[in-house]
Amino acid sequence: MIHSLFLINCSGDIFLEKHWKSVVSQSVCDYFFEAQEKAADVENVPPVISTPHHYLISIYRDKLFFVSVIQTEVPPLFVIEFLHRVADTFQDYFGECSEAAIKDNVVIVYELLEEMLDNGFPLATESNILKELIKPPTILRSVVNSITGSSNVGDTLPTGQLSNIPWRRAGVKYTNNEAYFDVIEEIDAIIDKSGSTVFAEIQGVIDACIKLSGMPDLSLSFMNPRLLDDVSFHPCIRFKRWESERVLSFIPPDGNFRLISYRVSSQNLVAIPVYVKHNISFKENSSCGRFDITIGPKQNMGKTIEGITVTVHMPKVVLNMNLTPTQGSYTFDPVTKMLTWDIGKITPQKLPSLKGLVNLQSGAPKPEENPSLNIQFKIQQLAISGLKVNRLDMYGEKYKPFKGVKYITKAGKFQVRT
Amino acid sequence: MTPMQRFLQLPGTMVKPPGSKGGEEATSPVLTPEGSTPAWYQALQPDELRQLQTSEQDVSPEGGSDGASHSQPLRHDDLKEMLDTNKDSLKLEAMKRIVAMIARGKNASDLFPAVVKNVACKNIEVKKLVYVYLVRYAEEQQDLALLSISTFQRGLKDPNQLIRASALRVLSSIRVPIIVPIMMLAIKEAASDMSPYVRKTAAHAIPKLYSLDSDQKDQLIEVIEKLLADKTTLVAGSVVMAFEEVCPERIDLIHKNYRKLCNLLIDVEEWGQVVIINMLTRYARTQFLSPNKNESLLEENPEKAFYGSEEDESKGSGPGLEEAAAPLAARRPYIMDPDHRLLLRNTKPLLQSRSAAVVMAVAQLYFHLAPKAEVGVIAKALVRLLRSHSEVQYVVLQNVATMSIKRRGMFEPYLKSFYIRSTDPTQIKILKLEVLTNLANETNIPTVLREFQTYIRSMDKDFVAATIQAIGRCATNIGRVRDTCLNGLVQLLSNRDELVVAESVVVIKKLLQMQPSQHGEIIKHLAKLTDNIQVPMARASILWLIGEYCEHVPRIAPDVLRKMAKSFTAEEDIVKLQVINLAAKLYLTNSKQTKLLTQYVLSLAKYDQNYDIRDRARFTRQLIVPSEQGGTLSRHAKKLFLAPKPAPVLESSFKDRDHFQLGSLSHLLNAKATGYQELPDWPEEAPDPSVRNVEVPEWTKCSNREKRKEKEKPFYSDSEGESGPTESADSDPESVSESESKSSNESGSGTSSDEDEDEDESDEQEADEKKKGRRGGQEASRDSGESDQSEEEQKKVKRKKKAHERKETSESSEEEGSASDSSSSESESASESEEEEEEDQTEPDTWRRKTPPSSKIIPKPKEISLLDLEDFTPPSIQPVSPPRVVSNSLVTDLEGLTLTDSSLAPSNPWHLVIQLQPPWASTSLTPPRQPPSSYALKLDSSMSPSSHQWGS
């Protein structure tokens, strides 16, 4: 399946290579560079490239390209999914998935890659198992290791591999037993020129951080489970229970993991928490235009909207912008033509606005389209869909855990067309 | 290898034929299990050794980095020293540095001797890193790599399963052909290891050995067969992977494991699930009948069958079925094989997997295997994947595009999920556009067009061009919006961007070809544009249009020709060709006005620099100007030039891509990838289903999870409910039960038509026994004893039994009855009842006797458990969106397509004067970075003016 993996940074250096079968020369990446050049934008590099003898399947994560070399038919999503899993694992181990982190921990990276694939087929990809095989680096451990000469490598088979719950390691012990759930909802929306909603949808996830001793068997129930239209589960969840009782019943992995992700049916009306008044115009035959946007709260369920940022990709002919924000600060990058307005909190008494002039390249025809506004915001303590966790029960262990649920709503792909 | 074999004093035939036993192996020197230094080791003289080493290096595939190691041979001395010390910490440090070198792609092969010594190191981390090194360089330094073999052989016997597994892993990963026999032996041993982890490793080792020496195939298949029978989820995925790589054609190995694999599936890890599902898709295509074979029948019924209450079914479907069945009487009604149903049922929960690859695998399984009415369930899951990483989106959208051509209804409810954001990468935008175009129909076209209207003003010009084409496709596919689209496109002609204008002209040309008579105005407008448009492709298109439809613009056409004659020398080649074309056509229709012009153009062309144009001029002149020699051709010139031409068909480039298995690399590339296994067509006749029977029926085996057990119940009870009709319908006398399968071997395929007096002799007691036999396989033998009747008799008996069983099931059956009935899907029940219909036609007597029980069953109120309902609710039949009032809203909506306020008046000339570089590519209709597809070819052939030379 996966023959080799090359990690390539933004400037086109291959800084790590790993082969699971015979060695494939680095020159195979030339095809990738060629495609990259053609694509102009990193996002437009096709994920699958066919070369005379190999196929290259790549992903772009955190300013790094993970390029895998394939020789025979394999579902492309299989490889893409795996590469993302590799990136996730690096993130998990080193806190970030960057060139520096990988270079610093190259031996651990190599050991990880060795465990994750055998002959190109995934072997152990669960973080719980990997962490037993290869311990993540910590400062304390590296100090201890250098003194005692012991290693990061576990010498026993991870118990999870053999049990029916391969995602959890055995013998977990905590003094404080805690279980936290973050219900995070993102609003994806397209708002048209006149302010009406073209498309809106709520995408949610429940991320869990479970630090419980032993083998706890949890069940999480909702007040209104019917809201969840389309759910995808962590493998630990008992599908049958969900189907019959709409209860999430599971033996959790140890640590952080994504329990479910869900979509709230699009039939339900989605409350849009902000509105935007905009007036962007470019004058014909003159080298300037007007730019005026105002943001206000709407349907915010009595919570404050915070962390608002507006990003606008201005047309190419825009040279510069002279704006005055009533709140927050703005930056305009004349090279990428990105306007970013960092607002912060909305206070309903005084709505934040950004007004001013746009300088255009003289002589060039005025842009035909007004740019779309991409909006980011956050609302704490609110799940916009109204989803509520009812209770969490634990079976199988005697202690009483500390339980917590947090709700947060964010803007996902929230776009206002102007 | 010969020098090495000499050193090793091995017999030339180290590769043993299958069947040779271990005793022999023990005597061969390499296989000596103990670590004592064998004699052959000393045979290596140091000099020879060095020589070998360097020669190996020279041929090593390492390109540029190779030279570095030669030029600085001493650089690694410090590392060698560190490796030679007794201190583990130093060794570890050295190994870490070496691994870092490997990771950066630097050559560290000269350290091989120093490293390989440490293979037996006690420190587990050093050991692991040595393994990493070995696997990387063993292929290049085969002789030295042999030094490490004995360590692994010892490791294979270690009491710790982790060490056994890792020894096997490394042993099988060092690609040294000489150790093939050792590997074979090790794999065989590991395949029967106590630890499933070691067995999994063995499964991984199989393809490794196969790629090293394909002669081992037969022996490896034996191992695969053995491992396929393994009941642990840990092994299942890996062994199926091995199966796919080594012997994908040996589908017969799957039979006995089919049900087990289906049932284990949900507990296998994600990667294994993908591989197993893909393999099972292929398997099912060879073993089951197409569920959509009787399409007309399914189309007639699915709604009723799935959603109607049981009452509806019994009375409502009756007459409908009769109609449907009439033309199909000759064909055999379809009843899904219970194993087929099992597969569909057990894969369905996996649509909820967090892994995109698994979801895609299930989606393609449903697309290729499920009855039409049930395929809809996958749409929701696929749409969910659109939230994922952009690479995932890219792959999913490609597949959705293919699916949406065949099963448009499936994605229609999710139309809005494919709306495009300005932040999407271009390649995603174009794919979404493709899907939107495929999904457009009479009802949603206003919304879609309004959306397209937004896209046309995008800054991303590639995307705009694609949008214009999409509008063109909508216009061709949906007749009622053609005029609106056309008007919208004409508005675009006054766009500032020349690319947009050119693309519009090209699309307009295609649309006009469909109904030229009504659009004289547009042609006139286009004619005026020739003054402004510079893009050659667009000019050529306009000229072609005017020529082709000169009778609609009799007054303008000659004038256009006059203008073009003036500028002829300055035109691009494709434009020149079209000018000649136009001249010829006008000469034929209106020679009075254009004779001189034509002659002028032809003379100009005669001396053109381009030989194509010279040729064309000569050719045209011969055709249209009657010459002295008879001029037979010129008499038919009008027919040649002005023959009616079929309008181009605007098709999706994703059409017919579904002959590749969806989700596969080949599908994505639209070309067969190496190692792609064709998805076989459904068989005409179902192969013997009894091959999947195993000694002990699967459901009696303990399944460690409750849910699995529960899940199986409906399946088996289902089979009871259904298998009756299956048998009577199919001439194939087999059923799922053991006894029958055994007898089936003798019975072959009898004819079911001759059914007479023996019917009554079957008794209920026997039926009961049969049922038991099915439940507990142990009784199978007894049953088979009983089934020593004549073939014909047996068949009838069976049929009868089924009738009884069904009755019983419906009446009593605490454990399964309710489940079975409620869960029996519509398609099944529909076909069941329809099957009765057929019997009715062929054998009225039996029908009368049989119907009472069955009709009794159907209307009986049942407990409907949640799960079953869910299982069989195909969202594809979600309430069809209410038909909209099209007339008014459509009109207003479509007006929205008008893009600018300017009317048909030509736009300001000044901005069009900018001479663009006129590459074909800029107006090429092929979406970027896609392999040349049928779509593009078709467009090109219909587009390129040169292709009209014969027809025009």
Side-chain angles (χ1 to χ4, degrees), chain A residues 68-365:
Chain A
S68 62
V69 182
I70 310 293
Q71 235 167 4
T72 52
E73 169 67 47
V74 59
L77 271 184
F78 183 98
V79 181
I80 290 171
E81 184 80 22
F82 176 79
L83 294 177
H84 278 294
R85 203 62 69 81
V86 170
D88 289 341
T89 309
F90 290 166
Q91 179 99 39
D92 193 22
Y93 263 74
F94 314 127
E96 55 168 355
C97 176
S98 66
E99 186 183 355
I102 291 172
K103 277 183 171 168
D104 287 349
N105 298 290
V106 71
V107 175
I108 292 182
V109 165
Y110 234 66
E111 285 169 341
L112 280 173
L113 290 175
E114 188 73 28
E115 287 301 333
M116 290 179 85
L117 276 189
D118 181 14
N119 193 37
F121 190 76
L123 192 62
T125 50
E126 278 298 336
S127 121
N128 265 235
I129 292 176
L130 283 172
K131 283 189 173 159
E132 268 183 274
L133 286 169
I134 302 149
K135 303 205 172 64
T138 60
I139 294 168
L140 180 67
R141 186 170 295 125
S142 61
V143 170
V144 171
N145 285 351
S146 62
I147 294 166
T148 61
S150 64
S151 66
N152 285 330
V153 179
D155 55 353
T156 49
L157 183 65
T159 43
Q161 280 278 42
L162 299 172
S163 68
N164 283 321
I165 31 175
W167 53 84
R168 187 176 177 87
R169 59 193 178 95
V172 184
K173 271 218 168 72
Y174 289 100
T175 41
N176 295 323
N177 289 296
E178 306 162 313
Y180 297 105
F181 296 90
D182 291 0
V183 180
I184 303 165
E185 296 197 335
E186 295 193 350
I187 304 174
D188 285 359
I190 302 176
I191 314 284
D192 76 2
K193 216 172 189 155
S194 58
S196 58
T197 310
V198 179
F199 167 73
E201 193 176 65
I202 298 170
Q203 302 273 359
V205 294
I206 299 184
D207 283 343
C209 175
I210 308 278
K211 293 179 174 173
L212 298 174
S213 315
M215 271 295 166
D217 192 336
L218 304 178
S219 54
L220 184 73
S221 60
F222 298 100
M223 304 279 253
N224 39 10
R226 297 274 159 198
L227 269 178
L228 307 183
D229 187 32
D230 180 27
V231 194
S232 76
F233 298 114
H234 189 276
C236 69
I237 289 170
R238 297 183 181 95
F239 184 70
K240 182 82 183 172
R241 281 285 298 279
W242 173 258
E243 283 291 276
S244 55
E245 301 166 47
R246 299 273 150 181
V247 165
L248 296 175
S249 156
F250 56 99
I251 295 172
D254 185 42
N256 295 310
F257 65 102
R258 174 151 298 174
L259 186 64
I260 62 170
S261 47
Y262 60 88
R263 191 171 59 192
V264 173
S265 63
S266 37
Q267 275 81 26
N268 294 11
L269 277 181
V270 177
I272 305 290
V274 293
Y275 71 88
V276 181
K277 272 198 276 186
H278 51 84
N279 181 12
I280 304 174
S281 60
F282 304 106
K283 270 187 226 130
E284 191 76 49
N285 297 328
S286 96
S287 61
C288 69
R290 274 181 49 208
F291 186 94
D292 178 358
I293 52 178
T294 308
I295 293 196
K298 177 174 113 176
Q299 292 174 306
N300 59 349
M301 324 275 181
K303 310 268 186 199
T304 36
I305 304 170
E306 39 184 58
I308 307 175
T309 338
V310 181
T311 47
V312 191
H313 188 208
M314 300 301 288
K316 280 199 189 68
V317 291
V318 173
L319 283 182
N320 215 337
M321 303 183 78
N322 291 317
L323 307 172
T324 32
T326 58
Q327 187 182 340
S329 61
Y330 84 98
T331 53
F332 177 71
D333 183 345
V335 181
T336 57
K337 313 288 181 201
M338 289 300 279
L339 168 72
T340 313
W341 179 27
D342 198 341
I343 303 172
K345 255 184 224 169
I346 290 189
T347 39
Q349 294 77 32
K350 193 167 183 305
L351 298 180
S353 68
L354 182 67
K355 272 184 210 170
L357 289 178
V358 183
N359 293 326
L360 301 179
Q361 203 176 319
S362 56

Side-chain angles (χ1 to χ4, degrees), chain B residues 858-875:
Chain B
I858 295 168
K860 191 163 171 134
K862 279 126 207 155
E863 278 178 54
I864 293 170
S865 79
L866 240 179
L867 172 71
D868 296 324
L869 245 189
E870 295 264 327
D871 260 354
F872 288 99
T873 311

Side-chain angles (χ1 to χ4, degrees), chain B residues 651-686:
Chain B
E651 268 179 340
S652 164
S653 59
F654 287 88
K655 196 164 184 279
D656 294 334
R657 264 216 209 171
D658 62 335
H659 63 271
F660 288 116
Q661 186 167 0
L662 268 91
S664 67
L665 184 61
S666 305
H667 170 266
L668 191 78
L669 299 168
N670 201 14
K672 215 171 148 183
T674 332
Y676 172 71
Q677 296 287 320
E678 291 280 352
L679 196 62
D681 280 333
W682 295 101
E684 284 296 313
E685 296 283 322

Side-chain angles (χ1 to χ4, degrees), chain B residues 813-825:
Chain B
S813 71
E814 310 75 41
E815 44 153 2
E816 37 191 23
S818 63
S820 84
D821 286 350
S822 59
S823 66
S824 76
S825 86

Side-chain angles (χ1 to χ4, degrees), chain B residues 51 169 204 283 339 409 649 756 831 859 886 919 933:
Chain B
Q51 216 171 8
R169 257 185 86 182
H204 280 270
Y283 177 86
D339 285 330
V649 187
D756 34 30
S831 41
V886 196
S933 52

Side-chain angles (χ1 to χ4, degrees), chain B residues 396-410:
Chain B
V396 171
L397 282 169
Q398 295 249 0
N399 286 292
V400 170
T402 306
M403 289 185 194
S404 59
I405 289 173
K406 258 224 167 138
R407 308 269 154 85
R408 178 202 288 165
M410 192 160 95

